[in-house]
Amino acid sequence: MCLSRSNFCSIIDSVRWDSLTDADAAPGRGRRAGTLPLFEAGFEAGAVARTLGAPGFRGMTFYEVRARTIINQVPPASRMAFRWTINPYRGCSHACVYCFARNTHTYLDLDAGHDFDSKVVVKVNAAELARAELAAPRWRGEHVAMGTNVDCYQRAEGRYRLMPGIITALTDAANPFSILTKGTLILRDLDLLAGAAEVTDVGLNMSVGSTDPELWRSAEPGTPSPQRRLAACAAITARGLRCGVLMGPVLPFLSDSPGQLDATVREIAAAGAAHVSPIVLHLRPGAREWYLRWLAERHPELVPRYRALYGTSAYAPRGYQQHITEQVRQLAERYGVGRASPAAARRVPSPRADAGRTHRDSGGPRRGSGAPRRDSGAPRRDSGWPTRADVQLSLL
């Protein structure tokens, strides 16, 4: 069915999701949570699928579903530094060839390759669920991380606008949260984020693994350029909010040379990032197959070197990871990452005309270390290396 006077076409698509369950999806539900389906039976024959005629969405299908829960518990065995996440989307139009979340699409009878890039599940009731679950008596106000599975500011967010409602719910509950994104659309919500930082801890991080333009076009074809992401970091910092950079993933033999690391950290410092956290490529199931296929097509000479480096593991050897981390630490110190004041960061070009405005001081006490600060004109004395609070999103 094509909607009149609209760029949307809708169909009722039969997707076998009714039997899917999530054992630890929602706080305060106890062991019975495992008996709940992930999505409500809101449509007689499955999810509502929509396609858009706009150029940026061609070839994509959006499956609109009503989720049962939205605050998800991280499995206890996970390496993550946080326990709870919100993911309003599944699948991602950023189409990063290395995305570790690819395998989650196979749980929906979709593939981890092209389907992950082009068939995006939209949890249309995400904001109302967030508000209800944050108000649940058993919810203890723990940190909630976003952008840890797929990007919450991918292109679909421009159409569905789920994040403003989620941020507002978290703000009203004074609940600490963090966002990791490659999406410059986060600038749309700067006012909301500044308001949230007045009442709770807010951690913001842009993801920039490399500033090499050719590698970006090949490995992250659906994302804004690294330079636009760093301009967004500068705009956030100019608003008086701390914004760090997750420098990842570092791709072995493609973005890990001393010169490449130097160039990337230098641009991160110029953007006024509060800290930089490097992370080396993970090759988990689903992502591994798709990435190695891309590698064989674009850089076939590197396939044997990857097999030798990773073997059957999802992770590069610890020694290699430590070597990258130490190089980035030294570069961050050399270029002064974390020592730029918001005033200095404003000199970096920003895609928003109002990026140079400082946040209005409320004149009252502020709650939460993530609150905007008035610029004193003096350089900040951060080390350029993430604190324990900053590292919330660095252990993906």
Side-chain angles (χ1 to χ4, degrees):
M1 174 180 68
C2 290
L3 304 180
S4 62
R5 300 180 184 179
S6 173
N7 287 326
F8 282 90
C9 288
S10 303
I11 59 174
I12 303 299
D13 199 21
S14 180
V15 184
R16 294 177 295 165
W17 296 344
D18 288 347
S19 63
L20 291 177
T21 62
D22 189 350
D24 298 299
R29 291 183 181 269
R31 299 299 301 173
R32 292 186 62 193
T35 66
L36 293 174
L38 284 175
F39 309 120
E40 293 180 2
F43 311 109
E44 292 182 0
V48 170
R50 299 192 190 276
T51 59
L52 288 79
F57 295 96
R58 284 176 184 161
M60 297 193 65
T61 302
F62 298 96
Y63 294 91
E64 298 178 359
V65 301
R66 292 187 60 83
R68 287 281 188 180
T69 61
I70 199 64
I71 302 180
N72 306 304
Q73 186 173 18
V74 177
S78 172
R79 294 159 57 112
M80 301 291 190
F82 42 82
R83 295 185 58 212
W84 303 98
T85 66
I86 288 178
N87 294 295
Y89 303 97
R90 295 182 70 156
C92 187
S93 60
H94 282 169
C96 301
V97 295
Y98 50 73
C99 183
F100 73 89
R102 287 184 172 276
N103 202 48
T104 62
H105 239 43
T106 63
Y107 309 157
L108 307 179
D109 290 333
L110 300 171
D111 70 53
H114 182 64
D115 283 354
F116 180 85
D117 301 337
S118 62
K119 297 182 178 180
V120 175
V121 177
V122 182
K123 302 172 187 178
V124 294
N125 59 334
E128 63 185 83
L129 280 177
R131 183 169 294 278
E133 292 174 22
L134 289 166
R138 294 186 183 182
W139 175 246
R140 298 184 179 274
E142 294 187 58
H143 179 99
V144 173
M146 292 177 280
T148 60
N149 189 44
V150 300
D151 204 311
C152 51
Y153 282 106
Q154 59 177 287
R155 275 178 281 171
E157 173 61 17
R159 166 61 179 85
Y160 288 98
R161 300 181 63 87
L162 300 180
M163 286 300 292
I166 293 170
I167 294 170
T168 300
L170 288 160
T171 302
D172 290 346
N175 200 99
F177 65 92
S178 54
I179 297 173
L180 171 66
T181 184
K182 290 184 175 75
T184 55
L185 186 59
I186 191 175
L187 296 178
R188 179 200 67 192
D189 295 339
L190 264 185
D191 288 344
L192 292 175
L193 293 168
E198 293 279 359
V199 299
T200 190
D201 290 334
V202 176
L204 303 175
N205 291 269
M206 298 300 297
S207 175
V208 182
S210 168
T211 53
D212 183 319
E214 292 186 9
L215 185 59
W216 158 63
R217 293 187 186 97
S218 178
E220 304 169 340
T223 66
S225 72
Q227 287 69 32
R228 287 184 59 201
R229 285 176 248 164
L230 290 176
C233 176
I236 293 169
T237 302
R239 185 63 184 265
L241 297 166
R242 284 174 56 83
C243 183
V245 171
L246 178 67
M247 186 175 161
V250 175
L251 304 180
F253 319 122
L254 289 170
S255 65
D256 65 346
S257 73
Q260 290 169 315
L261 296 177
D262 184 287
T264 300
V265 176
R266 186 170 65 249
E267 291 195 45
I268 289 170
H275 58 86
V276 57
S277 306
I279 185 169
V280 174
L281 173 71
H282 297 170
L283 288 177
R284 299 176 187 172
R288 183 186 188 94
E289 295 79 7
W290 192 250
Y291 181 83
L292 291 179
R293 174 180 170 179
W294 169 84
L295 193 71
E297 292 175 353
R298 301 299 182 94
H299 306 280
E301 73 284 358
L302 294 181
V303 172
R305 298 180 70 183
Y306 266 78
R307 296 197 185 281
L309 183 66
Y310 283 87
T312 59
S313 175
Y315 303 96
R318 185 176 298 274
Y320 175 87
Q321 296 184 54
Q322 291 174 340
H323 179 62
I324 295 296
T325 298
E326 180 59 21
Q327 287 185 82
V328 174
R329 186 194 67 78
Q330 293 178 10
L331 290 166
E333 183 176 352
R334 177 189 305 172
Y335 290 116
V337 175
R339 292 201 291 271
S341 68
R346 285 184 208 114
R347 292 196 289 270
V348 179
S350 166
R352 280 174 61 101
D354 62 346
R357 294 185 299 173
T358 57
H359 181 67
R360 177 177 56 84
D361 184 17
S362 66
R366 291 186 173 125
R367 298 160 53 197
S369 61
R373 300 176 176 86
R374 291 178 66 88
D375 181 21
S376 65
R380 295 184 59 176
R381 294 300 178 185
D382 294 340
S383 66
W385 210 237
T387 64
R388 181 174 180 83
D390 292 329
V391 82
Q392 293 287 350
L393 292 172
S394 301
L395 301 179
L396 300 179

